[in-house]
Amino acid sequence: MYEMKDEYLTGIELIDNEHRRLFEIAEETYQLKMAEFIPDKYDQIKALFEELKDYTAMHFQHEEEYMMSIGYKKLFTQKVQHDAFIKWLDEQDLDAVNGEYEDQDQVIDDILKYLTDWLVTHILDTDKQIPAP
């Protein structure tokens, strides 16, 4: 359901590969939601969310380093958007759903919606403007 499509390619191999992994994390999160026989998904949600946080921070660092290396004039705008995404991730309180099974699927939905909306919009509207080598 969640996959990197050709329309999201920037032509910058490192960035495209890292975007691909972010879509894979979204797909793994979706598959967890669909796993009907796992009543308590808290540990898996927490693990996927921590991977998302760590991977996103690394990706943003790589993307910003690339933009800096080519003297990209919209680096500051990108950094502001990246910081806003990191802030959203930091504000999520996963401990609130520990043991609340009915809330876990809603948390997954919230993460997926924010992640995919942000990814698609950010890639199409912002990242695709970065000049490829």
Side-chain angles (χ1 to χ4, degrees):
M1 174 140 198
Y2 296 91
E3 64 180 293
M4 177 79 168
K5 298 177 181 172
D6 287 347
E7 66 190 277
Y8 304 139
L9 294 173
T10 64
I12 305 162
E13 186 176 3
L14 174 66
I15 292 173
D16 289 337
N17 287 338
E18 290 181 356
H19 286 164
R20 190 170 284 107
R21 179 64 192 134
L22 289 168
F23 278 101
E24 289 170 358
I25 293 170
E27 177 63 22
E28 291 169 22
T29 305
Y30 174 75
Q31 291 301 324
L32 176 60
K33 180 182 188 288
M34 302 310 291
E36 297 176 17
F37 299 110
I38 304 175
D40 184 359
K41 300 173 183 177
Y42 175 76
D43 290 337
Q44 291 93 332
I45 293 170
K46 191 160 176 76
L48 281 167
F49 194 76
E50 288 304 316
E51 180 180 5
L52 175 62
K53 284 175 68 172
D54 293 345
Y55 196 84
T56 300
M58 179 200 66
H59 166 64
F60 288 163
Q61 178 183 350
H62 291 163
E63 201 170 83
E64 291 168 14
E65 286 171 355
Y66 173 76
M67 288 185 284
M68 196 176 311
S69 76
I70 64 167
Y72 187 56
K73 302 219 181 305
K74 295 181 181 177
L75 171 61
F76 180 75
T77 302
Q78 282 265 16
K79 184 149 181 44
V80 168
Q81 292 178 9
H82 292 169
D83 291 348
F85 187 83
I86 295 291
K87 183 177 185 231
W88 182 86
L89 290 171
D90 288 341
E91 290 173 347
Q92 303 314 298
D93 182 14
L94 297 184
D95 291 333
V97 297
N98 190 9
E100 301 294 329
Y101 304 148
E102 61 276 356
D103 293 341
Q104 292 177 354
D105 284 341
Q106 183 60 51
V107 167
I108 293 172
D109 284 342
D110 292 347
I111 292 169
L112 283 173
K113 178 164 180 20
Y114 192 86
L115 173 60
T116 55
D117 286 352
W118 193 90
L119 251 181
V120 169
T121 302
H122 185 74
I123 291 171
L124 293 176
D125 295 345
T126 308
D127 286 349
K128 286 190 67 117
Q129 294 180 27
I130 304 168

